[in-house]
Amino acid sequence: MPVDWLQVSGRGFLGLGVAAGVVTLTACGSSSSGSAAGPLVMTVWGGDTDRKAYQARIDLLVKKYPELKVKLQLIPSDSYPQKVQTMIAGGNGPDIMQVAESVNTYAGKNQLLPLDDLAEKAGLDAGQRFGSVGSIYSYEDELYAIPDRSGAMIVYYNKELFEKKGIKAPTAEWTWDDALSAFKELTVPGRQWGYGGAGWWPQWWSFVYQNGGAIIDADGRPAVDSDEAIEALQWAGDLVFKHKVVPSAKDYADMGADIGGDQAFANQKVAVNATGF
């Protein structure tokens, strides 16, 4: 299953957006130090791959600073915001947490600690280190999160399924019509779908920009009510409800608990999937 990602303009299907994850400190964590008082609790979302990656990083940290104790807590993506808020409300919130685009939600409720002093002591200039990504996790001129990872959305396709149908690999010249045509050929009703869908915001936002629209205009005002954005959303919805080349919510539920495009692609239930790096 090779990876193919190309940046194009207009309505080219492969011109996809950006995903990012950030890590921050909470103002109401379960412990104040990673020492005898108890380990620091670090909460992230994801699956086993994420668990292994974060644990490996924690192991490197503790090796360098043996006095630290850090406990990793992994929560499934879909239930992450609700469970974290429940933990915080109960006075048992994590000390360190992954927040991504929800950073201002937490910061606006005084649930995060500003990181400016810590960053200064560490000699970390977020703008210089992370570029434009480093400046978007501030609230009222205070830094509340440090970029953990960021990168382009990637289009994955199942080479074997493409070859069986005699479909050439996606290229930068693919349009929405080309993509839809391939999705239809790759769909077997009730058993296999051509595409994993665009329910996650970086996916459907990408369709809007491919179509010449925007979510926020150059002056910082909402622009999602434009004809271009509406057309893109309609196209994304039609893939599910009209063309039936994307699994519906019921189709995904029938595949099992917490199954989405990533898992369906790995299980060869969908032939093409757009997801984070």
Side-chain angles (χ1 to χ4, degrees):
M1 295 183 188
V3 173
D4 197 344
W5 170 68
L6 297 168
Q7 183 67 45
V8 297
S9 59
R11 285 176 47 158
F13 178 71
L14 297 186
L16 293 176
V18 171
V22 293
V23 171
T24 188
L25 302 179
T26 67
C28 46
S30 56
S31 60
S32 58
S33 67
S35 62
L40 293 169
V41 176
M42 178 176 177
T43 300
V44 301
W45 61 73
D48 288 338
T49 301
D50 302 275
R51 185 193 304 277
K52 292 176 182 177
Y54 278 105
Q55 189 60 56
R57 293 165 66 180
I58 289 173
D59 292 344
L60 289 172
L61 175 71
V62 174
K63 183 178 181 181
K64 186 172 182 178
Y65 301 100
E67 70 278 10
L68 284 177
K69 293 181 181 179
V70 182
K71 178 183 177 182
L72 180 64
Q73 182 181 48
L74 187 138
I75 298 174
S77 303
D78 291 344
S79 57
Y80 185 86
Q82 181 181 357
K83 288 192 175 182
V84 167
Q85 285 293 352
T86 300
M87 292 164 59
I88 292 174
N92 193 35
D95 300 286
I96 310 163
M97 65 182 289
Q98 194 173 11
V99 292
E101 65 274 6
S102 299
V103 59
N104 286 351
T105 301
Y106 296 106
K109 297 178 180 179
N110 296 317
Q111 294 174 334
L112 304 181
L113 293 174
L115 303 179
D116 301 271
D117 290 344
L118 290 173
E120 184 178 357
K121 289 178 181 178
L124 174 65
D125 183 320
Q128 184 179 44
R129 175 72 177 273
F130 303 107
S132 59
V133 176
S135 64
I136 63 176
Y137 299 106
S138 296
Y139 178 72
E140 295 185 347
D141 297 324
E142 290 187 295
L143 180 67
Y144 281 95
I146 299 295
D148 173 49
R149 65 181 193 265
S150 65
M153 292 287 291
I154 298 171
V155 172
Y156 295 83
Y157 70 95
N158 187 310
K159 184 178 179 181
E160 181 181 346
L161 294 178
F162 269 63
E163 290 179 346
K164 283 183 177 179
K165 289 291 185 178
I167 303 172
K168 293 183 179 180
T171 70
E173 284 70 43
W174 261 35
T175 65
W176 287 1
D177 289 339
D178 294 326
L180 178 57
S181 177
F183 296 161
K184 287 180 175 179
E185 289 192 57
L186 292 160
T187 296
V188 180
R191 291 173 44 201
Q192 177 183 297
W193 291 262
Y195 181 47
W200 186 27
W201 64 265
Q203 296 164 331
W204 67 263
W205 281 25
S206 295
F207 290 161
V208 173
Y209 283 96
Q210 287 170 11
N211 200 37
I215 305 301
I216 303 293
D217 67 19
D219 297 320
R221 294 174 299 192
V224 76
D225 62 344
S226 67
D227 291 341
E228 293 82 3
I230 293 170
E231 183 183 24
L233 282 168
Q234 184 67 59
W235 189 76
D238 284 347
L239 293 177
V240 183
F241 302 107
K242 179 180 179 181
H243 305 297
K244 301 186 187 301
V245 296
V246 169
S248 66
K250 182 181 183 301
D251 293 327
Y252 272 126
D254 289 343
M255 294 181 203
D258 296 321
I259 297 294
D262 291 0
Q263 299 90 341
F265 179 76
N267 295 332
Q268 300 197 51
K269 291 290 187 180
V270 299
V272 178
N273 189 45
T275 188
F277 54 99

